[in-house]
Amino acid sequence: MTNKIEQLRPALSAATGGQCGDGRCEQRSETCHSCPLDCGGCVAIPTNECVVNGTFTFTFDDGPTSITPRVLDVLKAYNVTATFFVTAQNLEDPTYARYVRRAVQEGHVVGAHTYYHKDLTTLSDEQLFADLTLAHVAIASATGVAPKLFRSPYGNYNKRTLAVAQAFGYIPVTWSFDSRDTMMVYKSAEDPGALFSRLHLFDDKDNTPGIISLHHDLVPANADILEQMVQQVPLCEFTIIDMETCLGTSISRYNDRKQLFSDVVNC
């Protein structure tokens, strides 16, 4: 490491006023971008809202499954573009892989949701890299498009998992509104009326950051509640948008993207 620092010192020092490489991160002149040797590499911060107030984007986790075509049918019928965070192990089934290809063909974004859907914060470094590598390759092979977005299972992140996501070039995305549709798997779903009433709690649409909504494509009821929400969201005065509009940047140009972050909006 000492030799590496010495080799890089001239260029780094010129960029940071002669300080980079001395082992101290000078807050006034050095950052994770300008001097990673002293300050450490930059870590992507999870995005949980859209940059345009009063907007709403749909995201789906844990597919593809046999329900995915129904979800795609609903989205197509209402001309809605969504984001699918794929559990890549499911792509071992050729039928499910076709569903993901259909999603891409119909203009949806496909992101990585790991391979085995394990809590990444509990894995070793080797397991973490192996899982994300398997997922990345499987999604790219199935769709012809390398994923640019990433969502960790259960929304669990720590500094280490975010650093690995950064290494893959991913934009980490969480959510600000949970449809709670996973409860449908256990037949104890929230009443749709109660679900929509939570949307109404975002009173000041013009000053409320855009919503990233969490859904799943696991059971038939997920598709049913999606159709109701697609109809209801505009009635709540939200504009439904795609993820690229939500982020305010081209997903294909992640390295040029401004990092986005804010606290979760509570209903």
Side-chain angles (χ1 to χ4, degrees):
M1 176 61 76
T2 300
N3 290 337
K4 182 177 180 181
I5 291 176
E6 291 304 320
Q7 293 170 4
L8 294 174
R9 189 185 297 278
L12 293 171
S13 295
T16 57
Q19 301 298 319
C20 192
D22 63 4
R24 298 189 303 273
C25 184
E26 303 291 343
Q27 294 184 356
R28 293 184 178 181
S29 60
E30 297 176 344
T31 68
C32 60
H33 294 286
S34 67
C35 188
L37 287 177
D38 290 349
C39 301
C42 297
V43 175
I45 299 173
T47 297
N48 68 346
E49 61 187 31
C50 300
V51 296
V52 181
N53 292 352
T55 57
F56 191 105
T57 194
F58 288 92
T59 68
F60 295 85
D61 286 9
D62 299 350
T65 70
S66 60
I67 305 305
T68 304
R70 287 192 56 191
V71 169
L72 289 171
D73 289 344
V74 171
L75 295 171
K76 186 174 184 178
Y78 290 90
N79 195 30
V80 171
T81 301
T83 302
F84 290 83
F85 290 98
V86 171
T87 301
Q89 186 178 25
N90 297 350
L91 300 176
E92 293 177 6
D93 185 321
T95 299
Y96 290 170
R98 285 198 298 272
Y99 297 159
V100 174
R101 284 195 292 275
R102 175 189 165 186
V104 171
Q105 291 167 357
E106 294 182 357
H108 303 291
V109 174
V110 172
H113 195 46
T114 74
Y115 196 85
Y116 293 111
H117 201 273
K118 295 182 178 180
D119 183 345
L120 297 184
T121 63
T122 68
L123 302 184
S124 68
D125 290 346
E126 292 78 10
Q127 291 171 325
L128 177 57
F129 274 101
D131 188 292
L132 293 190
T133 299
L134 284 171
H136 190 91
V137 171
I139 294 169
S141 297
T143 66
V145 180
K148 299 295 184 183
L149 305 182
F150 170 69
R151 177 174 285 163
S152 186
Y154 318 108
N156 289 349
Y157 295 91
N158 58 22
K159 187 174 182 179
R160 186 168 57 95
T161 61
L162 289 172
V164 174
Q166 178 77 12
F168 277 82
Y170 290 150
I171 304 172
V173 178
T174 55
W175 60 88
S176 56
F177 184 84
D178 186 350
S179 70
R180 300 178 184 171
D181 63 354
T182 52
M183 292 189 290
M184 296 173 183
V185 177
Y186 308 104
K187 304 186 185 302
S188 60
E190 180 178 32
D191 176 82
L195 173 63
F196 300 142
S197 69
R198 288 196 290 120
L199 275 177
H200 283 290
L201 292 177
F202 291 87
D203 288 329
D204 189 358
K205 308 296 185 302
D206 292 337
N207 295 304
T208 297
I211 294 172
I212 298 177
S213 186
L214 172 64
H215 302 260
H216 299 80
D217 44 335
L218 293 173
V219 296
N222 294 156
D224 296 336
I225 196 65
L226 168 64
E227 184 160 20
Q228 295 179 58
M229 285 201 68
V230 168
Q231 296 171 355
Q232 183 70 26
V233 166
L235 299 179
C236 294
E237 300 180 4
F238 289 99
T239 300
I240 299 175
I241 59 175
D242 60 27
M243 183 59 75
E244 197 159 89
T245 305
C246 170
L247 296 177
T249 187
S250 170
I251 291 172
S252 64
R253 297 176 67 244
Y254 172 46
N255 290 334
D256 296 332
R257 168 183 176 273
K258 179 181 179 181
Q259 297 295 334
L260 306 172
F261 177 78
S262 74
D263 293 332
V264 173
V265 178
N266 294 315
C267 292

mmCIF file of all heavy atoms in Angstrom, residues 47-66:
data_model
loop_
_atom_site.group_PDB
_atom_site.id
_atom_site.type_symbol
_atom_site.label_atom_id
_atom_site.label_comp_id
_atom_site.label_asym_id
_atom_site.label_seq_id
_atom_site.Cartn_x
_atom_site.Cartn_y
_atom_site.Cartn_z
ATOM 1 N N THR A 47 -31.795 6.018 -2.094
ATOM 2 C CA THR A 47 -32.795 6.998 -2.471
ATOM 3 C C THR A 47 -34.165 6.447 -2.105
ATOM 4 O O THR A 47 -34.496 5.313 -2.444
ATOM 5 C CB THR A 47 -32.738 7.267 -3.987
ATOM 6 O OG1 THR A 47 -31.470 7.818 -4.307
ATOM 7 C CG2 THR A 47 -33.833 8.215 -4.418
ATOM 8 N N ASN A 48 -34.986 7.237 -1.414
ATOM 9 C CA ASN A 48 -36.308 6.738 -1.014
ATOM 10 C C ASN A 48 -37.442 7.650 -1.457
ATOM 11 O O ASN A 48 -38.570 7.494 -1.014
ATOM 12 C CB ASN A 48 -36.368 6.515 0.501
ATOM 13 C CG ASN A 48 -36.302 7.821 1.287
ATOM 14 O OD1 ASN A 48 -35.961 8.865 0.722
ATOM 15 N ND2 ASN A 48 -36.615 7.767 2.568
ATOM 16 N N GLU A 49 -37.150 8.603 -2.338
ATOM 17 C CA GLU A 49 -38.200 9.491 -2.809
ATOM 18 C C GLU A 49 -37.842 10.048 -4.174
ATOM 19 O O GLU A 49 -36.690 9.987 -4.606
ATOM 20 C CB GLU A 49 -38.431 10.633 -1.823
ATOM 21 C CG GLU A 49 -37.212 11.501 -1.624
ATOM 22 C CD GLU A 49 -37.392 12.519 -0.515
ATOM 23 O OE1 GLU A 49 -38.128 12.238 0.453
ATOM 24 O OE2 GLU A 49 -36.785 13.601 -0.614
ATOM 25 N N CYS A 50 -38.833 10.583 -4.857
ATOM 26 C CA CYS A 50 -38.627 11.181 -6.173
ATOM 27 C C CYS A 50 -38.296 12.658 -6.031
ATOM 28 O O CYS A 50 -38.730 13.313 -5.073
ATOM 29 C CB CYS A 50 -39.879 11.021 -7.035
ATOM 30 S SG CYS A 50 -40.381 9.309 -7.316
ATOM 31 N N VAL A 51 -37.566 13.168 -6.997
ATOM 32 C CA VAL A 51 -37.122 14.554 -6.912
ATOM 33 C C VAL A 51 -38.233 15.543 -7.243
ATOM 34 O O VAL A 51 -38.131 16.720 -6.903
ATOM 35 C CB VAL A 51 -35.923 14.805 -7.859
ATOM 36 C CG1 VAL A 51 -34.733 13.977 -7.433
ATOM 37 C CG2 VAL A 51 -36.290 14.524 -9.309
ATOM 38 N N VAL A 52 -39.293 15.073 -7.909
ATOM 39 C CA VAL A 52 -40.397 15.952 -8.284
ATOM 40 C C VAL A 52 -41.539 15.781 -7.290
ATOM 41 O O VAL A 52 -42.053 14.675 -7.105
ATOM 42 C CB VAL A 52 -40.895 15.647 -9.707
ATOM 43 C CG1 VAL A 52 -42.030 16.598 -10.089
ATOM 44 C CG2 VAL A 52 -39.749 15.744 -10.705
ATOM 45 N N ASN A 53 -41.931 16.867 -6.636
ATOM 46 C CA ASN A 53 -43.006 16.806 -5.654
ATOM 47 C C ASN A 53 -44.323 16.383 -6.309
ATOM 48 O O ASN A 53 -44.589 16.683 -7.469
ATOM 49 C CB ASN A 53 -43.198 18.166 -4.982
ATOM 50 C CG ASN A 53 -42.025 18.548 -4.089
ATOM 51 O OD1 ASN A 53 -41.132 17.732 -3.850
ATOM 52 N ND2 ASN A 53 -42.019 19.771 -3.608
ATOM 53 N N GLY A 54 -45.140 15.679 -5.518
ATOM 54 C CA GLY A 54 -46.461 15.306 -5.990
ATOM 55 C C GLY A 54 -46.481 14.190 -7.014
ATOM 56 O O GLY A 54 -47.476 14.001 -7.706
ATOM 57 N N THR A 55 -45.378 13.423 -7.098
ATOM 58 C CA THR A 55 -45.315 12.327 -8.058
ATOM 59 C C THR A 55 -45.302 10.981 -7.336
ATOM 60 O O THR A 55 -45.121 10.910 -6.114
ATOM 61 C CB THR A 55 -44.082 12.441 -8.962
ATOM 62 O OG1 THR A 55 -42.903 12.479 -8.142
ATOM 63 C CG2 THR A 55 -44.163 13.703 -9.807
ATOM 64 N N PHE A 56 -45.461 9.911 -8.106
ATOM 65 C CA PHE A 56 -45.627 8.571 -7.530
ATOM 66 C C PHE A 56 -45.081 7.557 -8.529
ATOM 67 O O PHE A 56 -45.428 7.590 -9.705
ATOM 68 C CB PHE A 56 -47.119 8.318 -7.288
ATOM 69 C CG PHE A 56 -47.440 7.107 -6.464
ATOM 70 C CD1 PHE A 56 -47.838 7.250 -5.138
ATOM 71 C CD2 PHE A 56 -47.382 5.831 -6.993
ATOM 72 C CE1 PHE A 56 -48.167 6.136 -4.368
ATOM 73 C CE2 PHE A 56 -47.703 4.714 -6.231
ATOM 74 C CZ PHE A 56 -48.099 4.876 -4.917
ATOM 75 N N THR A 57 -44.214 6.655 -8.067
ATOM 76 C CA THR A 57 -43.710 5.605 -8.945
ATOM 77 C C THR A 57 -43.865 4.243 -8.275
ATOM 78 O O THR A 57 -43.704 4.111 -7.057
ATOM 79 C CB THR A 57 -42.244 5.861 -9.338
ATOM 80 O OG1 THR A 57 -41.896 5.016 -10.430
ATOM 81 C CG2 THR A 57 -41.277 5.634 -8.181
ATOM 82 N N PHE A 58 -44.208 3.241 -9.081
ATOM 83 C CA PHE A 58 -44.451 1.881 -8.591
ATOM 84 C C PHE A 58 -43.186 1.036 -8.708
ATOM 85 O O PHE A 58 -42.518 1.043 -9.757
ATOM 86 C CB PHE A 58 -45.556 1.208 -9.404
ATOM 87 C CG PHE A 58 -46.939 1.735 -9.139
ATOM 88 C CD1 PHE A 58 -47.460 2.766 -9.909
ATOM 89 C CD2 PHE A 58 -47.720 1.197 -8.127
ATOM 90 C CE1 PHE A 58 -48.740 3.255 -9.674
ATOM 91 C CE2 PHE A 58 -48.996 1.679 -7.881
ATOM 92 C CZ PHE A 58 -49.514 2.706 -8.649
ATOM 93 N N THR A 59 -42.867 0.294 -7.646
ATOM 94 C CA THR A 59 -41.774 -0.674 -7.690
ATOM 95 C C THR A 59 -42.267 -2.010 -7.159
ATOM 96 O O THR A 59 -43.143 -2.063 -6.282
ATOM 97 C CB THR A 59 -40.564 -0.213 -6.859
ATOM 98 O OG1 THR A 59 -40.898 -0.213 -5.456
ATOM 99 C CG2 THR A 59 -40.112 1.185 -7.266
ATOM 100 N N PHE A 60 -41.677 -3.099 -7.679
ATOM 101 C CA PHE A 60 -42.090 -4.453 -7.312
ATOM 102 C C PHE A 60 -40.882 -5.274 -6.908
ATOM 103 O O PHE A 60 -39.859 -5.257 -7.602
ATOM 104 C CB PHE A 60 -42.808 -5.132 -8.486
ATOM 105 C CG PHE A 60 -44.106 -4.469 -8.860
ATOM 106 C CD1 PHE A 60 -44.110 -3.389 -9.727
ATOM 107 C CD2 PHE A 60 -45.303 -4.907 -8.318
ATOM 108 C CE1 PHE A 60 -45.297 -2.745 -10.055
ATOM 109 C CE2 PHE A 60 -46.499 -4.280 -8.640
ATOM 110 C CZ PHE A 60 -46.494 -3.198 -9.507
ATOM 111 N N ASP A 61 -41.009 -5.989 -5.806
ATOM 112 C CA ASP A 61 -39.930 -6.836 -5.298
ATOM 113 C C ASP A 61 -40.295 -8.321 -5.400
ATOM 114 O O ASP A 61 -41.471 -8.689 -5.428
ATOM 115 C CB ASP A 61 -39.654 -6.522 -3.824
ATOM 116 C CG ASP A 61 -38.915 -5.214 -3.617
ATOM 117 O OD1 ASP A 61 -38.766 -4.458 -4.595
ATOM 118 O OD2 ASP A 61 -38.513 -4.946 -2.471
ATOM 119 N N ASP A 62 -39.253 -9.153 -5.419
ATOM 120 C CA ASP A 62 -39.318 -10.596 -5.175
ATOM 121 C C ASP A 62 -39.732 -11.445 -6.366
ATOM 122 O O ASP A 62 -39.742 -12.667 -6.262
ATOM 123 C CB ASP A 62 -40.218 -10.924 -3.983
ATOM 124 C CG ASP A 62 -39.740 -10.309 -2.688
ATOM 125 O OD1 ASP A 62 -38.614 -9.788 -2.670
ATOM 126 O OD2 ASP A 62 -40.488 -10.327 -1.695
ATOM 127 N N GLY A 63 -40.101 -10.853 -7.486
ATOM 128 C CA GLY A 63 -40.417 -11.643 -8.668
ATOM 129 C C GLY A 63 -39.140 -11.993 -9.429
ATOM 130 O O GLY A 63 -38.033 -11.724 -8.957
ATOM 131 N N PRO A 64 -39.340 -12.579 -10.623
ATOM 132 C CA PRO A 64 -40.620 -12.891 -11.254
ATOM 133 C C PRO A 64 -41.235 -14.161 -10.700
ATOM 134 O O PRO A 64 -40.530 -15.056 -10.241
ATOM 135 C CB PRO A 64 -40.225 -13.062 -12.724
ATOM 136 C CG PRO A 64 -38.813 -13.587 -12.660
ATOM 137 C CD PRO A 64 -38.187 -12.883 -11.499
ATOM 138 N N THR A 65 -42.566 -14.206 -10.765
ATOM 139 C CA THR A 65 -43.327 -15.385 -10.383
ATOM 140 C C THR A 65 -44.444 -15.575 -11.400
ATOM 141 O O THR A 65 -44.545 -14.831 -12.378
ATOM 142 C CB THR A 65 -43.946 -15.224 -8.982
ATOM 143 O OG1 THR A 65 -44.997 -14.237 -9.051
ATOM 144 C CG2 THR A 65 -42.925 -14.796 -7.948
ATOM 145 N N SER A 66 -45.308 -16.528 -11.144
ATOM 146 C CA SER A 66 -46.433 -16.764 -12.048
ATOM 147 C C SER A 66 -47.403 -15.594 -12.060
ATOM 148 O O SER A 66 -48.254 -15.493 -12.954
ATOM 149 C CB SER A 66 -47.172 -18.048 -11.636
ATOM 150 O OG SER A 66 -47.659 -17.931 -10.304
#
